[in-house]
Amino acid sequence: MILILGLILLIAAVIVGLAGVFGNTGPGHELGVGGDLSIFGYHVTGSTGSLFLSGIIVGAVALLGLTLVMMGARRSVRRSAQARRERDTSRREAAVVDRERNDLIKQRDDAHAGAGAGAPTTDMPRAETDAPVTDAPRGRGHWFGHRAAHR
């Protein structure tokens, strides 16, 4: 709603400004000596200062419209980013649930297969990832590749 109101204000200010500029050209467009400025049939008589003041008002309306457009755009971007974060979180949670379900099914199948063969089953803890588990510490990489000799 804010975005639409901002667009309406911005477009109206631009139209009024452009109509004032392009509609009053020629030698009789001066305000000082009996000249007359007309915008959409509305004649403005007075000094150059009143023209300047009306230009300031039109510019302020345009600035207000632009501010409302930017606020509405930022709000919609924030909402979409929040929706993406929530979607990613729910996908991660679903992946964890699927992994746990698959682990339970595998344990059940192993228990049924082991009970049928008469072999004792041992429950070995399984790592969270499929990467091999090693006890060796990981080495820190060097900026310029491997070192030829130790210090």
Side-chain angles (χ1 to χ4, degrees), residues 1-13 61-70:
M1 182 69 187
I2 292 175
L3 183 69
I4 294 171
L5 180 65
L7 280 174
I8 290 171
L9 286 175
L10 183 62
I11 290 171
V61 169
L63 185 62
L64 177 67
L66 184 63
T67 302
L68 290 176
V69 167
M70 297 304 287

Side-chain angles (χ1 to χ4, degrees), residues 45-109:
T45 58
S47 67
T48 309
S50 65
L51 176 65
F52 185 70
L53 180 64
S54 61
I56 288 175
I57 291 171
V58 170
V61 169
L63 185 62
L64 177 67
L66 184 63
T67 302
L68 290 176
V69 167
M70 297 304 287
M71 282 176 38
R74 189 169 71 174
R75 180 180 291 174
S76 66
V77 166
R78 194 179 319 141
R79 284 182 185 169
S80 64
Q82 181 181 3
R84 278 194 304 271
R85 281 192 300 269
E86 289 173 358
R87 183 196 64 207
D88 292 342
T89 302
S90 67
R91 283 185 182 174
R92 280 192 298 268
E93 290 172 354
V96 168
V97 169
D98 288 342
R99 190 179 320 127
E100 289 175 356
R101 181 181 49 87
N102 290 339
D103 288 343
L104 289 174
I105 291 172
K106 186 174 185 323
Q107 287 176 2
R108 184 194 63 193
D109 291 344

Side-chain angles (χ1 to χ4, degrees), residues 19-32 34-38 51:
V21 169
F22 291 123
N24 295 293
T25 58
H29 71 280
E30 296 177 4
L31 285 180
D36 193 21
L37 176 70
S38 68
L51 176 65

